[in-house]
């Protein structure tokens, strides 16, 4: 297969983990005989500094021309601490989502047996938890009409039937491929937009008789994720709820640095780690490259290159088993490995496989 990849490394640790992600992508492509080309583009704080725009037109074009975007992370504290800043790196991310029509954000919450002791939850609760959160990504409060006054401010949470239907389709497709259990998370006891979600889901459910569909209020879902994370198989929810619940999901696994994601929709899909740009670690060669590397696995799987994805997952598991780990997950007395060393070990494993 021929693949054109847009590479958006962004800020903070982004360039370091991206280097390893690209190296793994190349190694897998070589092994399986795929022809891959890469084009780098600016985004985030780095793009604001260079051209005054966190998602410049040229980057947009590069993404549109590509088959897939490999994204790392954006953000810089110099913007966080400046409420008067006119443009922020995060706006680049939102612009990318909107312009590429990335309405479906797929965030797997996967636990690795050898890392469950890192979870803030008890081992026996979290071991084996494995679900996917499907977050609607281009609607709701993030993009609804806003007013930002000094005395009054609002954000509106608008959803259309079409937007709800298309994300539910994605969710049902995932449920069909997994354990056939879909949980629709909303706040239908209070919000009109949630009642539309529930109505549309209830209308669609009979088209998927093999899937058990249940409904859960978001407050209850937040609780259930902690009390019984294994309850969930596929969860689908609106933009803001999904933002919050996926952060919760990532930390209960005990391995935030290991979770990849995919955003898909109308144009080029984007693959990225769920963690942020960790500016304090920039240049220190300590960031975990595994979430970026697993995002490459999701990229291959998106193009139905299952064996390629499987090999990356196997290599990642092997690196964990052999304690080839970055400091935040290294075992007591384990050797020192940095971002680069972990990436190189995985590339080497793939070549020899
Ligand atoms: C995420 C992030 C973004 C969001 C921010 C950086 C705008 O938290 O991808 O979850 O809120 O969607
Ligand atoms: Mn978030």
């Amino acid at each position: 297969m021929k693949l054109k990849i847009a590479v958006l490394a962004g800020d903070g640790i982004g360039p370091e983990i991206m280097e390893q992600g690209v190296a793994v992508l190349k190694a897998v492509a070589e092994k399986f005989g795929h022809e891959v080309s890469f084009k780098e583009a600016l985004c985030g704080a780095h793009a604001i500094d260079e051209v005054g725009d966190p998602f410049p037109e040229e980057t947009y074009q590069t993404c549109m021309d590509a088959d897939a975007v490999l994204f790392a992370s954006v953000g810089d504290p110099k913007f966080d601490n400046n409420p008067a800043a006119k443009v922020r790196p995060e706006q680049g991310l939102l612009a990318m989502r909107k312009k590429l029509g990335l309405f479906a954000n797929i965030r797997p919450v996967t636990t690795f047996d050898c890392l469950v002791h890192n979870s803030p939850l008890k081992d026996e609760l979290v071991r084996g938890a494995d679900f996917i959160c499907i977050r609607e990504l281009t609607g709701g409060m993030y993009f609804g009409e806003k007013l930002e006054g000094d005395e009054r401010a609002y954000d509106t949470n608008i959803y259309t039937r079409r937007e709800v239907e298309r994300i539910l389709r994605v969710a049902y497709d995932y449920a069909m491929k997994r354990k056939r259990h879909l949980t629709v998370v909303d706040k239908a006891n209070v919000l009109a937009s949630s009642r539309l979600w529930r109505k549309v889901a209830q209308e669609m459910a009979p088209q998927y008789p093999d899937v058990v569909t249940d409904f859960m209020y978001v407050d209850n879902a937040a609780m259930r994720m902690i009390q019984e994370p294994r309850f969930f198989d596929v969860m689908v929810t609106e933009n803001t709820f999904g933002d919050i619940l996926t952060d919760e999901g990532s930390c209960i696994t005990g391995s935030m640095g290991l979770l990849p994601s995919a955003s898909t929709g109308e144009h080029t899909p984007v693959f990225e780690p769920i963690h942020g740009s960790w500016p304090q670690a920039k240049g220190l060669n300590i960031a975990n490259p595994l979430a970026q590397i697993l995002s490459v696995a999701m990229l291959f799987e998106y193009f139905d290159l299952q064996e390629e994805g499987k090999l990356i997952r196997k290599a990642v598991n092997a690196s964990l088993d052999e304690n080839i780990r970055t400091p935040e997950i290294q075992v007591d007395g384990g050797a020192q490995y940095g971002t680069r060393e972990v990436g190189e070990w995985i590339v080497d494993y793939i070549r020899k496989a």
Side-chain angles (χ1 to χ4, degrees):
M1 187 179 242
K2 270 193 181 170
L3 284 173
K4 261 208 266 184
I5 309 291
V7 175
L8 275 57
D11 308 316
I13 55 168
E16 294 162 61
I17 55 173
M18 182 60 87
E19 197 181 327
Q20 302 315 318
V22 167
V24 167
L25 209 164
K26 280 184 180 160
V28 173
E30 217 166 274
K31 176 146 213 124
F32 288 85
H34 303 302
E35 205 178 300
V36 188
S37 62
F38 298 91
K39 189 163 178 200
E40 293 182 13
L42 293 174
C43 69
H46 178 62
I48 299 177
D49 292 342
E50 303 235 337
V51 297
D53 181 346
F55 189 65
E57 180 62 23
E58 202 183 325
T59 300
Y60 169 60
Q61 287 305 335
T62 303
C63 293
M64 288 297 278
D65 286 346
D67 297 303
V69 177
L70 193 60
F71 188 96
S73 54
V74 294
D76 190 301
K78 75 182 178 203
F79 294 94
D80 297 341
N81 302 329
N82 175 11
K86 290 248 159 20
V87 279
R88 294 171 185 284
E90 290 77 9
Q91 286 165 344
L93 193 58
L94 298 181
M96 177 175 79
R97 290 173 182 170
K98 199 68 180 173
K99 287 179 141 181
L100 297 181
L102 301 169
F103 63 84
N105 183 216
I106 321 295
R107 295 187 170 180
V109 177
T110 315
T111 46
F112 291 81
D113 279 352
C114 61
L115 296 177
V116 283
H117 62 276
N118 278 358
S119 169
L121 301 186
K122 293 192 193 98
D123 268 33
E124 66 265 26
L125 267 184
V126 80
R127 191 177 292 276
D130 173 22
F131 62 94
I132 292 192
C133 184
I134 306 214
R135 167 187 175 193
E136 200 290 330
L137 202 59
T138 52
M141 271 200 283
Y142 275 64
F143 297 96
E145 188 197 320
K146 292 173 194 297
L147 175 83
E148 199 160 347
D150 283 335
E151 301 301 326
R152 210 163 73 95
Y154 60 73
D155 303 278
T156 47
N157 197 25
I158 301 183
Y159 271 104
T160 63
R161 170 177 286 271
R162 174 181 161 265
E163 286 173 319
V164 177
E165 251 169 30
R166 65 181 183 180
I167 190 73
L168 286 171
R169 289 254 174 258
V170 174
Y172 272 113
D173 285 347
Y174 271 92
M176 288 296 287
K177 282 187 262 167
R178 293 175 52 99
K179 294 187 209 137
R180 305 187 172 189
H181 175 199
L182 178 65
T183 305
V184 181
V185 174
D186 63 26
K187 187 73 187 169
N189 49 346
V190 177
L191 301 178
S193 52
S194 280
R195 284 193 286 273
L196 177 65
W197 272 71
R198 203 171 269 220
K199 189 152 105 191
V200 174
Q202 280 166 344
E203 284 170 19
M204 280 171 73
Q207 297 168 28
Y208 299 90
D210 296 338
V211 177
V212 174
T213 305
D214 48 33
F215 296 90
M216 204 180 276
Y217 296 141
V218 60
D219 45 355
N220 188 22
M223 200 165 70
R224 195 75 181 262
M225 275 169 64
I226 291 190
Q227 288 176 328
E228 196 192 356
R230 280 190 298 252
F231 170 83
F232 297 100
D233 175 28
V234 178
M235 171 195 285
V236 63
T237 192
E238 58 118 282
N239 204 345
T240 308
F241 297 161
D243 177 46
I244 299 165
L245 291 180
T246 53
D247 262 28
E248 185 184 344
S250 74
C251 90
I252 63 176
T253 67
S255 48
M256 182 153 187
L258 269 72
L259 299 185
S261 76
S263 300
T264 66
E266 294 163 4
H267 305 289
T268 321
V270 175
F271 301 87
E272 60 175 307
I274 64 140
H275 59 69
S277 60
W278 198 15
Q280 301 78 2
K282 179 180 174 169
L284 300 182
N285 192 39
I286 57 171
N288 196 332
L290 294 184
Q292 187 78 59
I293 290 171
L294 288 166
S295 300
V296 174
M298 286 188 90
L299 186 157
F300 280 115
E301 286 156 1
Y302 175 88
F303 293 102
D304 208 24
L305 300 170
Q306 302 298 340
E307 290 305 311
E308 289 78 344
K310 224 185 262 168
L311 178 56
I312 295 176
R313 292 178 193 282
K314 197 171 157 206
V316 165
N317 286 332
S319 74
L320 290 169
D321 289 343
E322 303 272 332
N323 293 333
I324 315 297
R325 305 180 183 189
T326 42
E328 92 289 0
I329 53 167
Q330 186 52 297
V331 292
D332 282 347
Q336 298 254 332
Y337 294 95
T339 314
R340 209 173 308 119
E341 289 73 30
V342 171
E344 283 167 359
W345 192 92
I346 288 175
V347 164
D348 201 47
Y349 182 99
I350 289 168
R351 289 212 179 107
K352 287 183 186 144

